[in-house]
Amino acid sequence: MSIATPPAPIFDKGLANTIVAETQMSFIDGGKGVLEYVGIDIDSLARKSTFEECVYLLWNRKLPTTPELNSFTESLRAHYALPPGMTDLIRSIPRDATPMHALRTLISALSLFDPEADAEGEEPNARKALRMLAQTPALIAGFDRYRKGKSIVEPDPTLSMASNFLWMLNGAVPTAAVARALDVCLILHADHGLNASTFAARVTMSTLSDLYSAIVTAIGTLKGPLHGGANEEVMVMLKEIGSLDRVEDYVMERLARKDRIMGFGHRVYKAFDPRATYLKTFARQVSADTGNLALYEMSRRIEDIMAREVAAKGIYPNVDFYSATTYHSIGIDLDLFTCMFAMSRIAGWAGHCLEQLEGNRLIRPGAAYIGPHAQPYIDIANR
Ligand code: CMC
């Protein structure tokens, strides 16, 4: 019996030209600037849908009927509260810890309180996904209040995910406009093909590890400034610039040094990121409503300069660019921005992990070895 020779592996740095998974959740056409969740364009979803409905869509691959949406929302709200013991854990984290480090640690700790943490199969995994999605807002808001010396606010199961988060963060129910602004950001961040953190989650899941471990892997990956951490860097940049008249010099100096302008460029979109298209208009409205137009105007100026200087390279604003202004306008602290991304993307990560298990094969690419061969082993005394 002869064994077929496997095809020669291809070296694809950054895996830009490699497809390693199939998904039915989101579709991206980077050339045309299209993003769809289960075939529905992101613009329609951002205008008409809610985060809860989008999660149902991604996880069930169809829009819910009213009873289906009500029942899904009810189960989500039933799990808003943290398991006993988690609040003590929040209080044991150093107050000056970075929120993304705190979130990664706390999501990992959730598994310690979940009797189903290692349970396999579609149903236990779907239950774990629902609980993690429902409880993440309480982890973020709880840590933020604790670090500021404020009392932790219990969730309100009568509120939507976005409103409940803002309630737990501020101890006050948000206005409908502010809650809607966060809801829209959550919709826009829920899933995005095989981005770096989703890939990382699928790699962990492909080893048949558990869903908590996969989500923890994803959070660590999201944190980087080339990925989800970019929204915080955008805000840092806007603060550094400080005023509209300094934008031109700042951007030109950075480009001359070959430094990146955060919130611009994308591995997949070589036209406008459709999430940024929507957020640009939305951010203007939210900024005007909340009296924060100065930041928005600086952002617009940066965009104009980038269009003049680098659009020929296919570099346009990405989702992180205008989400920074939006989060700031609704009163979210800069160092919580990436946590907002994670709070939403758990939907995508969990959905991808379940898809991975549907037809699992261990994800294990190769590396081209470029070191020496046939070296002598020299005894330690003679080195
Ligand atoms: N500012 C200035 N130049 C840029 C930028 C930028 N933000 N992004 C890419 N370029 C240039 C880069 O210098 C290179 O130029 P050249 O060919 O002359 O050397 C060219 O564009 C191609 O860049 P690349 O690094 O090969 O592109 P990539 O596909 O590997 O990187 C990216 C994609 C997102 C990492 C990159 O665009 C970047 O670093 N952007 C800033 C960070 C950022 O905003 N990240 C959020 C991404 S969207 C949200 C998410 O999914 O997390």
Side-chain angles (χ1 to χ4, degrees), residues 226-228 230 260-267 313 315 318 320:
L226 296 190
H227 191 5
R260 290 181 180 218
I261 303 294
M262 288 299 165
F264 280 81
H266 200 278
R267 172 60 63 81
K313 285 190 194 173
I315 299 169
N318 57 50
D320 288 324

Side-chain angles (χ1 to χ4, degrees), residues 69-383:
L69 183 58
N70 289 343
S71 147
F72 177 69
T73 307
E74 219 174 276
S75 358
L76 205 51
R77 293 178 182 191
H79 291 100
Y80 277 173
L82 294 174
M86 278 305 293
T87 315
D88 294 340
L89 252 165
I90 291 176
R91 292 199 186 100
S92 70
I93 292 179
R95 283 197 155 96
D96 61 353
T98 307
M100 278 297 277
H101 282 294
L103 180 62
R104 193 196 55 238
T105 304
L106 290 168
I107 293 270
S108 184
L110 276 181
S111 71
L112 308 173
F113 297 90
D114 187 345
E116 285 198 305
D118 277 318
E120 291 170 14
E122 202 181 318
E123 287 184 8
N125 277 325
R127 287 195 291 271
K128 282 183 263 185
L130 184 92
R131 286 196 289 271
M132 246 186 280
L133 183 77
Q135 289 163 354
T136 299
L139 298 178
I140 302 167
F143 174 67
D144 187 61
R145 286 189 70 88
Y146 162 71
R147 70 176 174 158
K148 290 174 175 161
K150 296 178 180 169
S151 59
I152 293 177
V153 175
E154 289 300 315
D156 180 343
T158 65
L159 299 175
S160 69
M161 284 269 297
S163 292
N164 176 52
F165 170 73
L166 292 164
W167 153 249
M168 291 187 293
L169 189 73
N170 301 321
V173 177
T175 64
V178 165
R180 180 63 188 152
L182 180 58
D183 196 49
V184 165
C185 289
L186 296 179
I187 292 172
L188 295 175
H189 286 86
D191 192 44
H192 204 239
L194 207 64
N195 56 87
S197 55
T198 303
F199 175 59
R202 284 187 86 132
V203 170
T204 301
M205 210 68 231
S206 84
T207 70
L208 302 184
S209 184
D210 68 288
L211 193 62
Y212 285 99
S213 300
I215 303 293
V216 169
T217 309
I219 293 177
T221 308
L222 182 76
K223 180 174 164 289
L226 296 190
H227 191 5
N231 56 14
E232 294 184 16
E233 299 296 329
V234 170
M235 197 63 217
V236 170
M237 173 176 77
L238 292 172
K239 282 189 162 176
E240 249 171 53
I241 298 175
S243 61
L244 197 57
D245 59 318
R246 288 188 15 87
V247 173
E248 176 86 26
D249 288 351
Y250 180 94
V251 174
M252 293 309 287
E253 276 165 26
R254 266 192 96 110
L255 290 179
R257 287 200 308 267
K258 302 241 176 273
D259 284 350
R260 290 181 180 218
I261 303 294
M262 288 299 165
F264 280 81
H266 200 278
R267 172 60 63 81
V268 181
Y269 295 116
K270 298 305 169 195
F272 223 85
D273 177 340
R275 301 166 298 175
T277 312
Y278 186 81
L279 265 180
K280 181 177 166 179
T281 317
F282 195 73
R284 192 191 179 287
Q285 189 58 51
V286 178
S287 305
D289 290 351
T290 54
N292 284 296
L293 263 178
L295 285 184
Y296 174 82
E297 277 161 5
M298 275 198 272
S299 307
R300 281 287 298 109
R301 185 83 191 98
I302 298 173
E303 191 190 332
D304 287 346
I305 299 168
M306 289 296 276
R308 188 186 73 208
E309 298 296 324
V310 293
K313 285 190 194 173
I315 299 169
Y316 297 94
N318 57 50
V319 69
D320 288 324
F321 191 61
Y322 285 106
S323 59
T325 327
T326 309
Y327 290 142
H328 176 79
S329 298
I330 61 171
I332 292 173
D333 285 354
L334 189 169
D335 63 356
L336 292 182
F337 287 8
T338 314
C339 292
M340 299 298 97
F341 196 152
M343 188 162 101
S344 161
R345 187 56 62 82
I346 285 186
W349 293 330
H352 273 267
C353 286
L354 268 79
E355 279 189 324
Q356 181 64 33
L357 292 174
E358 281 170 25
N360 187 49
R361 188 167 191 222
L362 177 73
I363 301 175
R364 202 293 188 197
Y369 175 70
I370 54 166
H373 289 284
Q375 297 295 296
Y377 179 81
I378 302 165
D379 195 74
I380 196 161
N382 300 322
R383 285 175 209 163

Side-chain angles (χ1 to χ4, degrees), residues 43-55:
D43 192 71
S44 303
L45 292 168
R47 275 174 213 288
K48 299 178 188 163
S49 186
T50 60
F51 179 60
E52 284 81 348
E53 187 179 55
C54 286
V55 178

Side-chain angles (χ1 to χ4, degrees), residues 40-66:
I40 303 174
D41 75 277
I42 196 67
D43 192 71
S44 303
L45 292 168
R47 275 174 213 288
K48 299 178 188 163
S49 186
T50 60
F51 179 60
E52 284 81 348
E53 187 179 55
C54 286
V55 178
Y56 185 99
L57 171 68
L58 290 167
W59 286 1
N60 296 280
R61 298 159 199 171
K62 70 174 195 80
L63 284 171
T65 59
T66 303

